Amino acid sequence: MFIASGLLLLQFLSYTLGVPPLVRVGAIFSNQPGMYNSELAFRYAIHRLNMDKSLLPETTIDYYVEYVNRFDSFETVQKVCKLIQVGVQAVFSPTDSVLATHINSICDALDIPNIGRSAHDFSINVYPSKQYVNYAFNDVIQYLNWTRFGILHEKENGIINLHQLSRSFHGEVHMRQVSRDSYVSALNEFKGKEIHNIIIDTNSNGISILLKTILQQQMNEYKYHYLFTSFDLETYDLEDFKYNFVNITSFRLVDTADVGVKQILKDIGLYSHHIFKKPYLNLHFTKSTVLESEPALMFDSVYVFAIGLQTLEQSHSLTLSNISCEEENSWDGGLSLINYLNAVEWKGLTGPIQFKDGQRVQFKLDLIKLKQHSIVKVGEWTPHGHLNITEPSMFFDAGSMNVTLVVITILETPYVMMHYGKNFTGNERFYGFCVDILETISREVGFDYILDLVPDRKYGAKDPETGEWNGMVAQLMKYKADLAVGSMTITYARESVIDFTKPFMNLGISILFKVPTSEPTRLFSFMNPLAIEIWIYVLIAYFLVSLCIYIVGKLSPIEWKCINACDLENISIGNQFSLTDSFWFTIGTFMQQSPDIYPRAMSTRIISSTWGFFSLIIVASYTANLAAFLTTERMINPIENAEDLASQTEISYGTLDSGSTMTFFRDSVIETYKKIWRSMDNKKPSAFTTTYEDGIKRVNQGYGIATPKGSPWRDKISLAILELQERGDIQMLYDKWWKNTDETCTRKNTSKQSKANSLGLESIGGVFVVLIAGIIVAAVVAFFEFWYNFRYNHKATTSQSVVNTKYNQDGILESDRNYTPPDRSFWIEISEELRYASWCMNKQKRPALRRTCSKCTIPKGQRINKL
């Protein structure tokens, strides 16, 4: 009996001290755009609680949802009363301040907890306390040292108390209440008054229009600083603001980098797709990587209610509410429940949660700022620790911070060069264009630096097999250096692992030409106009022609003539082409001189004419090319205008496909531009690119200063580079190291250089063919001349022998007889002539009869020589 009674008592205590198995809650949502995300988060949170059972294992939560017009207070009251009529133990409302006022007025009268955004007695405000949020923005403005700023606000929005905020400053504050129609006038006013620091406290639905207006008014420069009061800055489209260095700062309530937040965001999307089957509900969650503050606060509100119930069931019982708006009787269990909800401490999607008198007093706000590629966290604010800036360089120049950076470089003339003397140490060892830029930037931004060479002396490339980087890129990736300075090209591959500043030197809009090095002066530079093989062939031709003239001259009878014809005692015939005279005649003709030897035979004249023509071509070619070597000059930069570009074919060029530049050339009526268009249109492969990125890849890119990913120095150095470019300082440094130096990039001719090519056999080889043909023709003619003379003399001597007899004074009979040489063949005669020519090379004359035998001995007293 006692055991049974004990069991009954425990069961009774468990029921009386516990939570009913079914708890009803209600939610009110406005029907304006954007509220479906909060509703989806509310439904998913209850679904997750009912499925998990770790907080409320014996209880199921049932919910009712009503939709109202946020501007219709009567409808809102009716919908709240409808929820109370079905017996809800709590009413959830979004953070809309207008709805919260109507909802909480009823809940406060009936002692029903209202969880959302309100400051009444029976309410739990999960939204950070407005007082503390005001303190947070106050601390940021003081940190930024704003003494003059403007405020754009809407009447219905009230994240911060603007009047209290403006009264806390002694500076100049301009407040303007705006709407979508007055954005332009308010921004124009601030621009005209040169108000560059602006607080924006507007509704999130109008932010996109405001951002477009800022762009239209060209107020997106780096001198402007916008402080948004919205906690959802990461959900805005800031693509057009990323690369203009405009300052945009805000707080966020949800840490988007938290793993738990990312998982909840993913689960909400899956829940919407599989449970509700409504694609429009999960469109935002499935495509976004950022959870908005409104849905996150609604999710946390549900879990605050569940944790309060879990705590309550341990010591109190929760009775079902049986009240209505007509009877105006308060709920007995409402006070206990609100007290337990007020005591909840938990870490939700919006950070740590703790309440005091229904107001949230424990939370963490991340201070975020727009960088070139993304929005980054630069600090945080808490009610107890206040503002803590983790990246001060994102807000100020680091001039007063006394920072020393490690800078690596690589030697490349004239960008970075090095003194190797013993007297140079530290940064003094280095000099050059990039060193001067680094020194100027360090003074502008405000930092010291230690400059040293990269250990492996490489810029940085990715190993295709291992995927590892080397050179300066690897040093930056490993955070062994803060900056990398040099002639380092900005490429897509490098920028995927490190950051680059704005380029200090652009090569994409110009053409870089190598300055040709002049050949060293040589003693025999006069031989340059002709190739070495031509000189060898000319020398061979000289010897060949000289020998041919000598042989042909010996063979041709016309070249033989009588010497001293009146000397009947010793009649001889002579030939002017001895071997030495033949060489002298050839060289004289080649040198354009008048020799004292003139050929008489047809064969020798043919050779002489051919050699003369050959000499004329060679000498003329040499003279013309020598003049080219000595006087011909060309410009270093062959492209200085559109005409130069159109008239050359060495350098390819193109435009963006279907862009304005392409249209300009295509539709131009100017002949020069039409010629450029025809060249691009007919270019294979195509000269047009589909994107600017593809075009940049086809030309050299800029040189920039490299930093590790996320480095706070990149933006500041980029601003300094822009400032130096505007002032013309970088151009002056460029002129110093490229145009006005005697040590680097020097050339004796500042604008022109000699350029000529040696003539080769392919250019003047034809004249050698003519010479060889002339020699062959001359040899054939000489052969026929010799044959003709042989036949003529042979007939004359063999026809008859004439003998005249008479008596002399002494009565002795004498006879005059013509000498008849022996009968020999033509080939013997020509062989004898060639043998004589080869053995007696330098004799100009010989006897008329030098080839005799014993049968042709002349009687004594008679001397008859052949003429």
Side-chain angles (χ1 to χ4, degrees):
M1 283 294 294
F2 290 104
I3 296 175
S5 299
L7 291 174
L8 291 174
L9 178 62
L10 288 175
Q11 291 177 356
F12 173 77
L13 290 175
S14 174
Y15 175 76
T16 57
L17 297 180
V19 179
L22 180 63
V23 175
R24 296 182 178 91
V25 297
I28 300 291
F29 296 100
S30 67
N31 50 18
Q32 67 177 352
M35 283 294 101
Y36 61 83
N37 288 336
S38 298
E39 178 189 352
L40 182 60
F42 170 76
R43 294 175 181 269
Y44 170 73
I46 295 179
H47 168 76
R48 194 167 186 261
L49 283 172
N50 292 332
M51 297 297 295
D52 188 7
K53 296 296 183 180
S54 60
L55 285 178
L56 301 172
E58 304 296 333
T59 302
T60 301
I61 301 177
D62 193 12
Y63 62 88
Y64 300 87
V65 176
E66 294 292 339
Y67 305 95
V68 297
N69 186 342
R70 64 188 300 263
F71 299 107
D72 191 340
S73 59
F74 180 75
E75 182 188 14
T76 302
V77 171
Q78 283 188 326
K79 292 297 180 67
V80 174
C81 291
K82 182 179 179 180
L83 292 175
I84 295 175
Q85 188 70 32
V86 299
V88 298
Q89 276 82 36
V91 176
F92 293 87
S93 61
T95 58
D96 189 292
S97 58
V98 177
L99 283 178
T101 302
H102 301 317
I103 297 171
N104 193 255
S105 62
I106 300 177
C107 293
D108 190 22
L110 300 178
D111 289 353
I112 295 179
N114 174 219
I115 305 174
R117 182 179 184 182
S118 179
H120 293 77
D121 293 336
F122 277 84
S123 65
I124 297 296
N125 188 4
V126 294
Y127 196 91
S129 172
K130 181 180 290 188
Q131 179 183 4
Y132 285 121
V133 174
N134 225 61
Y135 291 156
F137 282 95
N138 193 353
D139 291 346
V140 172
I141 295 173
Q142 288 184 351
Y143 177 80
L144 296 175
N145 195 25
W146 284 4
T147 58
R148 184 172 184 264
F149 60 92
I151 299 176
L152 298 180
H153 69 96
E154 293 181 359
K155 183 178 180 180
E156 299 170 355
N157 206 62
I159 293 180
I160 60 176
N161 191 327
L162 296 174
H163 293 283
Q164 180 182 355
L165 182 67
S166 61
R167 288 195 299 268
S168 63
F169 291 94
H170 301 289
E172 182 180 348
V173 181
H174 298 260
M175 294 184 61
R176 298 293 181 270
Q177 182 177 334
V178 295
S179 63
R180 297 187 180 185
D181 298 330
S182 60
Y183 287 156
V184 176
S185 59
L187 289 174
N188 273 334
E189 180 184 356
F190 285 171
K191 185 177 181 180
K193 293 181 179 180
E194 295 186 353
I195 298 175
H196 299 150
N197 301 320
I198 303 174
I199 297 176
I200 298 178
D201 186 28
T202 61
N203 192 289
S204 298
N205 296 329
I207 287 294
S208 59
I209 300 177
L210 178 61
L211 293 176
K212 291 180 180 178
T213 307
I214 292 175
L215 291 174
Q216 293 171 358
Q217 301 303 315
Q218 297 182 351
M219 298 176 66
N220 58 331
E221 300 176 356
Y222 65 91
K223 62 183 177 182
Y224 288 95
H225 197 151
Y226 298 95
L227 180 59
F228 285 82
T229 60
S230 171
F231 292 153
D232 297 320
L233 179 66
E234 292 173 301
T235 64
Y236 302 157
D237 183 9
L238 301 176
E239 186 66 27
D240 295 328
F241 292 83
K242 290 182 178 180
Y243 304 99
N244 294 315
F245 300 97
V246 62
N247 296 282
I248 296 180
T249 308
S250 180
F251 283 112
R252 73 181 179 192
L253 192 58
V254 181
D255 185 2
T256 57
D258 186 83
V259 178
V261 173
K262 293 181 178 180
Q263 185 61 44
I264 293 296
L265 179 65
K266 180 180 179 181
D267 293 342
I268 292 177
L270 295 175
Y271 171 78
S272 173
H273 179 72
H274 294 292
I275 303 299
F276 287 93
K277 305 299 182 181
K278 296 180 179 180
Y280 69 90
L281 284 176
N282 71 321
L283 179 63
H284 174 78
F285 288 105
T286 55
K287 293 185 178 181
S288 175
T289 59
V290 178
L291 181 62
E292 294 176 334
S293 58
E294 290 284 347
L297 287 169
M298 181 56 70
F299 182 90
D300 287 349
S301 298
V302 175
Y303 267 80
V304 166
F305 176 74
I307 294 172
L309 288 179
Q310 182 191 41
T311 308
L312 181 143
E313 72 175 353
Q314 298 175 3
S315 57
H316 290 80
S317 62
L318 182 66
T319 60
L320 299 176
S321 62
N322 187 16
I323 57 177
S324 65
C325 294
E326 288 78 10
E327 297 179 0
E328 296 186 0
N329 295 325
S330 60
W331 179 35
D332 295 336
L335 182 60
S336 299
L337 180 58
I338 199 70
N339 289 333
Y340 279 98
L341 294 178
N342 203 30
V344 170
E345 294 184 9
W346 182 62
K347 183 179 180 182
L349 297 180
T350 58
I353 298 176
Q354 185 178 351
F355 303 98
K356 182 179 181 181
D357 297 331
Q359 300 299 309
R360 184 174 177 178
V361 295
Q362 181 67 299
F363 56 90
K364 180 176 69 72
L365 298 176
D366 290 336
L367 185 64
I368 56 178
K369 192 174 186 297
L370 177 66
K371 285 187 64 177
Q372 185 173 358
H373 292 283
S374 61
I375 296 176
V376 296
K377 178 182 177 180
V378 295
E380 63 183 32
W381 191 95
T382 58
H384 301 290
H386 294 280
L387 185 63
N388 178 27
I389 301 296
T390 57
E391 297 290 345
S393 60
M394 294 292 293
F395 295 99
F396 300 107
D397 291 340
S400 59
M401 298 175 60
N402 193 22
V403 176
T404 301
L405 303 181
V406 177
V407 183
I408 54 175
T409 187
I410 190 171
L411 297 180
E412 185 73 34
T413 305
Y415 298 95
V416 179
M417 296 171 286
M418 191 172 183
H419 295 295
Y420 293 96
K422 296 182 179 179
N423 297 328
F424 297 97
T425 59
N427 296 344
E428 297 178 352
R429 296 172 298 164
F430 301 96
Y431 68 103
F433 175 64
C434 290
V435 178
D436 287 352
I437 289 182
L438 177 62
E439 179 64 25
T440 306
I441 291 176
S442 67
R443 292 195 301 265
E444 291 286 332
V445 178
F447 62 85
D448 295 327
Y449 62 91
I450 299 175
L451 186 60
D452 205 352
L453 294 175
V454 62
D456 59 2
R457 305 299 193 268
K458 296 179 180 179
Y459 287 98
K462 185 178 181 180
D463 192 311
E465 296 181 357
T466 63
E468 297 292 331
W469 286 83
N470 59 14
M472 293 192 290
V473 176
Q475 296 294 309
L476 293 174
M477 292 176 62
K478 298 175 183 177
Y479 296 95
K480 293 184 179 181
D482 299 301
L483 301 176
V485 177
S487 55
M488 192 171 184
T489 307
I490 302 174
T491 64
Y492 174 80
R494 289 173 178 170
E495 203 160 15
S496 63
V497 294
I498 60 175
D499 282 341
F500 280 95
T501 64
K502 282 286 186 179
F504 59 83
M505 188 174 186
N506 288 310
L507 301 180
I509 59 174
S510 60
I511 300 173
L512 182 64
F513 293 94
K514 177 181 178 295
V515 177
T517 56
S518 58
E519 293 290 336
T521 303
R522 295 184 301 175
L523 185 61
F524 295 96
S525 296
F526 65 90
M527 299 182 66
N528 291 337
L530 297 181
I532 184 64
E533 63 268 18
I534 295 300
W535 288 110
I536 296 175
Y537 295 153
V538 168
L539 186 62
I540 294 175
Y542 166 69
F543 281 98
L544 179 62
V545 170
S546 299
L547 291 175
C548 287
I549 288 179
Y550 168 72
I551 296 174
V552 170
K554 294 297 185 181
L555 291 178
S556 177
I558 303 176
E559 292 296 339
W560 293 94
K561 65 178 181 178
C562 293
I563 301 176
N564 299 324
C566 297
D567 186 7
L568 298 178
E569 295 297 328
N570 190 14
I571 301 175
S572 300
I573 57 176
N575 193 307
Q576 58 183 345
F577 286 107
S578 65
L579 186 62
T580 55
D581 289 339
S582 297
F583 278 93
W584 170 249
F585 172 80
T586 307
I587 195 63
T589 305
F590 185 79
M591 294 298 180
Q592 309 295 305
Q593 301 297 319
S594 298
D596 52 356
I597 303 175
Y598 298 97
R600 296 192 298 270
M602 179 62 69
S603 56
T604 53
R605 287 179 178 180
I606 290 176
I607 294 181
S608 300
S609 299
T610 305
W611 176 251
F613 175 77
F614 174 84
S615 302
L616 175 65
I617 299 301
I618 293 296
V619 172
S621 301
Y622 173 83
T623 305
N625 213 33
L626 179 63
F629 266 88
L630 297 178
T631 62
T632 300
E633 297 176 332
R634 65 180 179 91
M635 298 298 295
I636 289 295
N637 298 327
I639 299 178
E640 294 182 349
N641 48 46
E643 287 76 11
D644 294 339
L645 184 64
S647 60
Q648 61 84 40
T649 57
E650 295 295 327
I651 300 173
S652 301
Y653 48 88
T655 66
L656 183 68
D657 191 13
S658 301
S660 59
T661 307
M662 170 184 166
T663 306
F664 168 78
F665 284 106
R666 183 192 63 192
D667 301 336
S668 177
V669 295
I670 301 176
E671 184 58 33
T672 300
Y673 297 153
K674 291 170 64 177
K675 185 176 181 181
I676 292 177
W677 166 251
R678 289 193 296 269
S679 176
M680 293 189 297
D681 191 35
N682 298 326
K683 188 71 175 178
K684 299 297 181 182
S686 177
F688 306 109
T689 61
T690 56
T691 63
Y692 283 114
E693 288 74 13
D694 293 339
I696 291 174
K697 291 178 181 179
R698 295 177 66 172
V699 297
N700 287 330
Q701 302 190 16
Y703 291 156
I705 297 177
T707 65
K709 271 288 186 183
S711 172
W713 296 100
R714 189 197 65 173
D715 291 344
K716 294 304 174 184
I717 295 177
S718 294
L719 291 177
I721 291 175
L722 291 176
E723 183 71 19
L724 295 177
Q725 288 176 340
E726 291 178 359
R727 296 204 309 249
D729 293 349
I730 292 183
Q731 182 62 41
M732 288 189 292
L733 292 176
Y734 176 84
D735 294 341
K736 171 186 175 182
W737 290 103
W738 265 266
K739 298 181 180 179
N740 302 325
T741 178
D742 295 330
E743 187 173 352
T744 60
C745 295
T746 58
R747 55 178 181 267
K748 295 182 179 180
N749 271 336
T750 58
S751 61
K752 299 180 180 181
Q753 73 167 52
S754 299
K755 178 65 177 179
N757 297 321
S758 301
L759 293 177
L761 186 62
E762 65 278 2
S763 300
I764 57 176
V767 70
F768 287 92
V769 176
V770 173
L771 179 63
I772 295 174
I775 293 175
I776 295 174
V777 171
V780 173
V781 172
F783 177 82
F784 280 102
E785 286 180 340
F786 189 87
W787 175 81
Y788 176 80
N789 183 70
F790 173 81
R791 296 294 299 172
Y792 175 80
N793 292 335
H794 181 71
K795 290 179 180 180
T797 56
T798 57
S799 59
Q800 62 179 4
S801 297
V802 180
V803 180
N804 297 322
T805 59
K806 62 179 180 178
Y807 291 93
N808 59 9
Q809 297 176 358
D810 300 328
I812 299 175
L813 181 64
E814 293 181 350
S815 63
D816 293 333
R817 182 182 306 176
N818 289 332
Y819 171 73
T820 301
D823 187 12
R824 294 193 294 182
S825 69
F826 166 78
W827 297 109
I828 295 176
E829 285 290 334
I830 196 171
S831 62
E832 287 292 334
E833 288 293 339
L834 292 176
R835 185 174 63 84
Y836 174 78
S838 62
W839 286 98
C840 305
M841 292 183 179
N842 208 31
K843 292 184 179 180
Q844 291 183 333
K845 61 182 181 178
R846 63 177 176 84
L849 296 176
R850 59 180 302 276
R851 296 183 299 275
T852 60
C853 60
S854 57
K855 295 182 179 180
C856 58
T857 303
I858 304 300
K860 187 177 181 180
Q862 294 185 0
R863 296 183 180 272
I864 302 176
N865 291 337
K866 178 182 178 183
L867 297 180

